[in-house]
Amino acid sequence: EASRNFANKLWNAARYVMTHLERAGKVEAWQWPPKSTHLEDRWVMSRLNRVAAEVERHMKEYQFGEAQREVHDFLWSEYCDWYLEMSKVRLRAGGESPLPVLAYVLERLLRLLHPFMPFITEEIWRSLLSFVPDEPGRPASLMVAAYPEVETNLFDEQAESDAGAIIEMVRSIRNLRAEFRIQPSQRIEAIVEAPAIRSILEAEANTIRALAQVDPLRIVSDTPPADGSSAGQRVSLVLSRGTVTVPLEGLVDLEHEKRRLSSELEQIQSNRQRLSARLEDEQFLEKAPEEVVERERQRLDSMDDRRARVEETLSRLG
């Protein structure tokens, strides 16, 4: 089931890219590989080459499962969940097009994935070739195409750090929305204080607004102090390179949320005690099938993760 979902993810990503390539028309003027100047392009090209380096290392060590995992995680999480979503914002806004990089990274990912998923990658690759510039020595079949070589000159630690800060910010706001059950259609205000990356935030403001569903987005030098009436109606998210403050007055009943989360925390503690006692029971460990024991351990880990999130949210609410 997981493999089917991944194949669907790859197919849909490829369809999205090729649909926009078809609309864009001829691409003879593209440089291949494309020259990246935009932050998101430099980030994804750097990450692609780091993944290629890890895949090469794992393959040489015959760690084929780890090699496949590297490509799977990069394609699903970074390329599809982040870069594709960022590209939608840029395509709507005009300006520097992400299409050359979208196509190039997809083509290289198909090469990396081919030993593990030969049929679907061959099918997508052959379709993609009609939309991208010719490449010297490119064969007619992906099966005999060269495996991607690492281009260390495309490693860009600064782009990875700056894009990582944007992703962390969007993810933290999304998590806050989910925690307080704010409807996806409801826009919220965000006040961002991050002097070290202020220019990056201003350049990527449209992306942050769109992906975090924030409006207005205020980028400030210092987080303004809350007045007495609103001091308890805002939540501050401390991030690795700044702080995001989200006013919640009129959106969330914070006293109700405190009670709800406190009740959930008590329930988690109670369930965790019972599960811990079960996993410490020697008779259970001896008699239960191994997969049952492992499933219960995973449940315990999930409870611990959820408990940590609830405790963190309660601490932010005071």
Side-chain angles (χ1 to χ4, degrees):
E1 184 178 347
S3 298
R4 180 201 65 194
N5 292 342
F6 179 66
N8 285 340
K9 189 86 166 180
L10 173 61
W11 187 271
N12 290 334
R15 184 173 59 182
Y16 167 81
V17 173
M18 286 187 279
T19 296
H20 282 280
L21 290 173
E22 188 174 22
R23 292 173 184 170
K26 295 184 178 180
V27 294
E28 282 84 355
W30 283 7
Q31 182 178 346
W32 195 262
K35 185 173 177 59
S36 308
T37 56
H38 196 282
L39 170 63
E40 293 150 14
D41 296 339
R42 290 186 289 114
W43 163 70
V44 79
M45 291 288 281
S46 179
R47 289 293 304 129
L48 170 67
N49 281 278
R50 291 196 191 278
V51 168
E54 285 299 299
V55 169
E56 181 180 357
R57 181 175 67 84
H58 289 310
M59 296 285 261
K60 287 179 177 178
E61 297 173 355
Y62 304 101
Q63 300 290 332
F64 303 125
E66 286 301 300
Q68 181 272 336
R69 183 188 59 78
E70 289 282 351
V71 188
H72 173 284
D73 292 352
F74 173 71
L75 189 145
W76 189 296
S77 300
E78 294 177 89
Y79 183 74
C80 291
D81 288 356
W82 289 106
Y83 187 67
L84 254 66
E85 293 305 310
M86 292 171 174
S87 77
K88 293 176 183 178
V89 179
R90 291 169 60 193
L91 287 168
R92 288 195 297 266
E96 183 183 356
S97 174
L99 284 178
V101 176
L102 268 172
Y104 179 81
V105 175
L106 174 61
E107 197 270 347
R108 265 19 188 196
L109 280 171
L110 292 171
R111 294 190 187 216
L112 287 169
L113 267 175
H114 185 67
F116 312 101
M117 303 175 68
F119 303 109
I120 188 173
T121 52
E122 184 79 58
E123 175 70 19
I124 294 172
W125 190 78
R126 291 193 186 193
S127 298
L128 181 64
L129 291 190
S130 61
F131 299 105
V132 300
D134 290 334
E135 187 176 9
R138 180 190 289 154
S141 172
L142 179 56
M143 184 183 296
V144 291
Y147 211 57
E149 294 183 0
V150 180
E151 299 180 70
T152 56
N153 61 304
L154 293 178
F155 288 171
D156 193 329
E157 292 185 7
Q158 189 62 52
E160 290 184 38
S161 175
D162 292 342
I166 300 298
I167 290 170
E168 180 190 25
M169 186 173 299
V170 171
R171 183 182 285 124
S172 67
I173 296 172
R174 285 177 172 177
N175 289 343
L176 181 142
R177 297 178 67 100
E179 193 66 67
F180 291 110
R181 303 177 183 181
I182 299 173
Q183 293 298 317
S185 59
Q186 177 68 58
R187 295 277 170 169
I188 61 176
E189 179 183 0
I191 305 166
V192 181
E193 190 269 318
I197 55 170
R198 179 164 185 163
S199 61
I200 301 296
L201 296 176
E202 290 172 344
E204 296 297 315
N206 286 340
T207 297
I208 297 170
R209 289 191 191 97
L211 298 188
Q213 294 171 298
V214 165
D215 191 22
L217 172 66
R218 295 169 53 197
I219 302 170
V220 299
S221 299
D222 296 295
T223 304
D227 58 40
S229 61
S230 64
Q233 295 292 312
R234 55 175 58 199
V235 174
S236 292
L237 310 171
V238 180
L239 309 178
S240 60
R241 300 179 70 183
T243 302
V244 178
T245 301
V246 179
L248 295 175
E249 189 171 9
L251 294 174
V252 176
D253 183 341
L254 293 187
E255 289 304 318
H256 171 77
E257 288 300 312
K258 287 180 185 179
R259 292 192 298 270
R260 179 181 68 81
L261 291 169
S262 296
S263 175
E264 182 181 350
L265 186 59
E266 290 178 4
Q267 187 65 39
I268 291 172
Q269 299 281 32
S270 175
N271 292 338
R272 190 187 184 285
Q273 287 178 358
R274 288 197 297 270
L275 187 54
S276 295
R278 190 178 189 191
L279 288 170
E280 291 170 3
D281 185 342
E282 293 296 334
Q283 289 188 344
F284 169 72
L285 296 176
E286 290 175 2
K287 295 179 180 180
E290 184 177 342
E291 61 270 18
V292 173
V293 175
E294 180 59 29
R295 186 165 61 244
E296 295 296 78
R297 286 177 177 148
Q298 290 175 358
R299 283 184 58 208
L300 186 63
D301 290 341
S302 297
M303 285 183 190
D304 288 339
D305 290 342
R306 180 58 187 164
R307 180 179 64 176
R309 290 199 298 272
V310 171
E311 288 175 341
E312 181 184 8
T313 304
L314 281 171
S315 69
R316 287 172 177 163
L317 296 177

